[in-house]
Amino acid sequence: YVMSACFPPLPGFAWRNKRYSDRPTLKTGRPSIPVPGLLLLSLPFSGALAVIGWLFLGIGGLLGMLFVGMADLTSWYEFRGELAQTQGMVIRTERTNISEGSSGSGQHAPIYRVFYEYRDATNTRYARECYTQNSRFTAGDLLPVEYRADRPTLARVPGTRQSPFPALVAFVLIFPLIGIILVALEFKQGLQRARVLRLGRFARGRLVERQATSTKINNQPVYRLIFEFEDERGATHRAEARTHKTAALMDDREERLLYDPANPTRAVLLDSLPGRVVTDERGNVTAWHISAAPLALLLPVIGIGSMLAGFLIARMF
């Protein structure tokens, strides 16, 4: 079962099993063939919240790693307490490819990297660099230097930074943080959906409510669709799906779903899954078309890859 579920036939990503599909089952019974492992694996990474979350995590993570990796986040504690004073000399100044300024005004000042040297109380020579928007420094200029007496290698030039950007740019981390929260919420729901697919029972639900949410994907609103269904004991329950692709969930008078017999409030509408489910006239599943499942697995790859790209780019400066 494990091998057949995890490695479905590749052509068309359609999974069929004659040994199972020929078995007669009740319309409210268990699925007639095993659920492909690739589909189960993709569920925690699919869904409207997951798409939005991975976008926030990918784009926000790229910008976050890029800016925070080049931000002066350590000066506030590295230069605490009393500092020794000395005089340094500029070795050279170079203009970086980074600029800083207000996007509204359209004025951006280039950031310069200043290489300088200084000597401590024991006349030991050290070399450091700092960043500034001021291009007044030229080779041979003298400049004031503050350094830690207990660690003379830690020094700074008053009025400059140790990195290209100030610590305030760390606010961009709020975007990947939002992404992580959304992905975590969807991941938990995805695990519950995977359990329902493995252990759930079939039923048919009728759409009773359709609400537009404030969320949009590709400029299309995400809708909250509520379905009512009866379990095998005749009790009525509700199932919910959130999607911006509502056509697949509104094309039939009754939609196929699976529910957890231990907790019928947990249900999965088959047409909300990544891919397509094929059933026969009795309602039995005869094939799982999971061509869309690998696309859901690309989202975390793109999101994590973007964060790594931002980190590597920041390390280059």
Side-chain angles (χ1 to χ4, degrees):
Y1 170 81
V2 173
M3 292 294 292
S4 62
C6 294
F7 299 96
L10 292 179
F13 290 97
W15 171 244
R16 294 180 175 84
N17 190 318
K18 181 175 174 54
R19 181 167 62 89
Y20 285 92
S21 59
D22 285 347
R23 293 180 180 178
T25 60
L26 296 176
K27 190 165 61 175
T28 57
R30 293 283 302 279
S32 53
I33 63 174
V35 182
L38 185 60
L39 176 59
L40 295 176
L41 184 62
S42 68
L43 288 179
F45 306 103
S46 61
L49 284 181
V51 173
I52 298 172
W54 284 113
L55 286 176
F56 268 88
L57 190 58
I59 300 175
L62 172 63
L63 296 177
M65 288 295 180
L66 184 61
F67 285 101
V68 174
M70 294 188 290
D72 187 3
L73 302 176
T74 59
S75 290
W76 67 274
Y77 70 86
E78 285 182 340
F79 297 101
R80 291 178 299 174
E82 186 176 354
L83 301 175
Q85 311 287 327
T86 188
Q87 196 171 53
M89 184 177 67
V90 177
I91 301 174
R92 73 178 190 276
T93 301
E94 63 181 32
R95 178 173 174 170
T96 68
N97 295 323
I98 305 170
S99 61
E100 182 182 351
S102 174
S103 59
S105 64
Q107 297 179 353
H108 298 273
I111 296 177
Y112 293 86
R113 179 186 294 158
V114 180
F115 298 86
Y116 64 96
E117 61 180 18
Y118 63 98
R119 294 180 183 274
D120 64 3
T122 63
N123 205 32
T124 303
R125 178 181 174 275
Y126 300 95
R128 291 276 293 182
E129 63 184 59
C130 62
Y131 295 84
T132 178
Q133 289 181 302
N134 197 325
S135 61
R136 70 180 185 274
F137 297 109
T138 58
D141 287 350
L142 299 179
L143 71 174
V145 176
E146 299 175 339
Y147 67 92
R148 287 262 301 267
D150 57 336
R151 294 180 60 187
T153 56
L154 289 179
R156 68 181 180 184
V157 176
T160 66
R161 297 192 290 260
Q162 307 303 302
S163 299
F165 294 117
L168 289 176
V169 300
F171 82 91
V172 299
L173 292 178
I174 191 173
F175 298 106
L177 179 61
I178 293 173
I180 290 174
I181 294 174
L182 294 178
V183 167
L185 291 175
E186 188 64 41
F187 190 86
K188 180 181 179 181
Q189 295 177 7
L191 292 179
Q192 293 178 354
R193 290 197 297 267
R195 169 184 167 82
V196 172
L197 286 189
R198 290 188 298 106
L199 306 176
R201 296 185 178 278
F202 276 117
R204 291 186 177 272
R206 179 173 56 87
L207 180 65
V208 294
E209 193 173 339
R210 177 174 178 262
Q211 298 176 351
T213 67
S214 58
T215 306
K216 288 187 177 182
I217 298 179
N218 294 332
N219 292 325
Q220 298 180 15
V222 174
Y223 286 90
R224 179 172 176 260
L225 305 177
I226 307 296
F227 293 82
E228 278 190 354
F229 67 94
E230 291 186 358
D231 61 16
E232 56 189 351
R233 299 178 180 178
T236 301
H237 304 278
R238 288 196 166 193
E240 177 182 322
R242 292 174 182 261
T243 180
H244 64 293
K245 300 178 180 180
T246 59
L249 290 171
M250 299 177 62
D251 56 349
D252 297 320
R253 187 174 62 89
E254 292 182 326
E255 290 291 333
R256 303 160 299 171
L257 60 86
L258 285 169
Y259 68 91
D260 187 347
N263 185 0
T265 59
R266 295 177 179 174
V268 177
L269 288 133
L270 297 185
D271 284 343
S272 68
L273 297 173
R276 184 169 58 89
V277 182
V278 179
T279 59
D280 59 20
E281 65 279 358
R282 294 174 298 178
N284 301 325
V285 173
T286 59
W288 302 87
H289 287 268
I290 55 174
S291 57
L295 298 179
L297 296 177
L298 284 178
L299 291 174
V301 174
I302 295 174
I304 297 174
S306 298
M307 295 180 63
L308 290 177
F311 174 77
L312 293 176
I313 294 174
R315 290 292 300 270
M316 295 171 59
F317 289 89

